[in-house]
Each structure stands twice: as structure tokens, then as C-alpha cells.
């Protein structure tokens, strides 16, 4: 399971990391635009601008938390499917091996019967 988890995380995580970085960059851009707009209006560092910037930060935090949650559930789904596939493959191997052992026992039994018949004759 751990091997499957690390393999899936290796190709799944970078996409989420990029999405998180993009969301953080969007927040920085929005904050810079708010500051520029406030300065252009002569407001400077007002409580309104601070409040709007805080809401931007809170929205970013919620979005990132949602992305992390999505990542966790997607990772769990892929790992679960991978573990199930591996279990199915292991079962198929066990079934094949059991069939081969049974065939070998049957052949050995048949050979023993022939030898026993020869011995009796």
C-alpha cells in the first residue's frame, strides 16, 4: 500500500502544488490591485482595504483547504483501487499455482498407479 501511495503521490501531488501556488499568486495579485486602487483613490491603508484583503486571504485559505481535501480523497481512491488490483492479481496467482499443484499431484498419482501396477505384475 505504501509503495502504491508514494507512486500515486509522485504524479498526483505536483498538479495540486501548482494549483495551490496559482491560487496564492492570485491572492497576491488581488491584494496588489486593492492597494493600487486604494492609493489611486487617496485611501492609503484604510480599515476597509485591510478588511477586503483579509477576506481575500480567508478565501485563499478555504480554497487551499478544499484543494488539500480533494487531493486526499483522490489519493485515497487511487491507492484503494491499486491495492484492490494488487489483491486481485495475488489471488489469480494463488489460483494458478493451486491449479498447477493439483495437476502435478494428479500426474504423480497417475504415475504411482502405473508403477504400482507394474510392480504387481
Amino acid at each position: 500500500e505504501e509503495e502504491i501511495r508514494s507512486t500515486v503521490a509522485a504524479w498526483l501531488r505536483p498538479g495540486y502544488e501548482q494549483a495551490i501556488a496559482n491560487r496564492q499568486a492570485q491572492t497576491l495579485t488581488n491584494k496588489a490591485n486593492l492597494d493600487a486602487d486604494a492609493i489611486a483613490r487617496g485611501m492609503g491603508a484604510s480599515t476597509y482595504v485591510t478588511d477586503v484583503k483579509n477576506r481575500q486571504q480567508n478565501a485563499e485559505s478555504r480554497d487551499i483547504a478544499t484543494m488539500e481535501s480533494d487531493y486526499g480523497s483522490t489519493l485515497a481512491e487511487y491507492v484503494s483501487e491499486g491495492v484492490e488490483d494488487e489483491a486481485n492479481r495475488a489471488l489469480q496467482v494463488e489460483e494458478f499455482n493451486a491449479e498447477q499443484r493439483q495437476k502435478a499431484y494428479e500426474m504423480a498419482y497417475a504415475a504411482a498407479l502405473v508403477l504400482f501396477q507394474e510392480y504387481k505384475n
Side-chain angles (χ1 to χ4, degrees), residues 1-2 4 78-89:
E1 181 179 340
E2 189 56 38
I4 293 170
Y78 279 115
V79 169
S80 175
E81 289 173 1
V83 168
E84 185 178 340
D85 289 346
E86 285 298 317
N88 287 338
R89 277 197 276 290

Side-chain angles (χ1 to χ4, degrees), residues 100-115:
Q100 295 304 309
R101 271 193 305 275
Q102 185 61 34
K103 287 179 184 177
Y105 292 145
E106 289 170 2
M107 289 174 60
Y109 181 71
L113 283 178
V114 168
L115 287 174

Side-chain angles (χ1 to χ4, degrees), residues 12-121:
L12 184 63
R13 189 66 194 177
Y16 282 91
E17 291 292 338
Q18 184 61 51
I20 289 169
N22 290 345
R23 181 59 180 95
Q24 290 169 334
Q26 179 186 1
T27 298
L28 287 176
T29 300
N30 290 346
K31 285 181 176 181
N33 289 339
L34 284 169
D35 285 337
D37 185 55
I39 290 170
R41 293 173 189 256
M43 293 170 57
S46 70
T47 56
Y48 171 77
V49 173
T50 302
D51 182 51
V52 172
K53 287 168 70 174
N54 284 338
R55 282 188 268 153
Q56 285 287 322
Q57 190 65 47
N58 290 340
E60 175 190 307
S61 296
R62 280 191 308 275
D63 290 347
I64 290 174
T66 300
M67 287 180 215
E68 292 290 355
S69 176
D70 289 346
Y71 168 74
S73 66
T74 303
L75 178 63
E77 180 181 342
Y78 279 115
V79 169
S80 175
E81 289 173 1
V83 168
E84 185 178 340
D85 289 346
E86 285 298 317
N88 287 338
R89 277 197 276 290
L91 178 61
Q92 289 174 349
V93 167
E94 284 298 317
E95 288 173 349
F96 176 79
N97 289 341
E99 288 173 7
Q100 295 304 309
R101 271 193 305 275
Q102 185 61 34
K103 287 179 184 177
Y105 292 145
E106 289 170 2
M107 289 174 60
Y109 181 71
L113 283 178
V114 168
L115 287 174
F116 185 65
Q117 287 298 330
E118 290 294 320
Y119 173 75
K120 282 179 25 179
N121 291 339

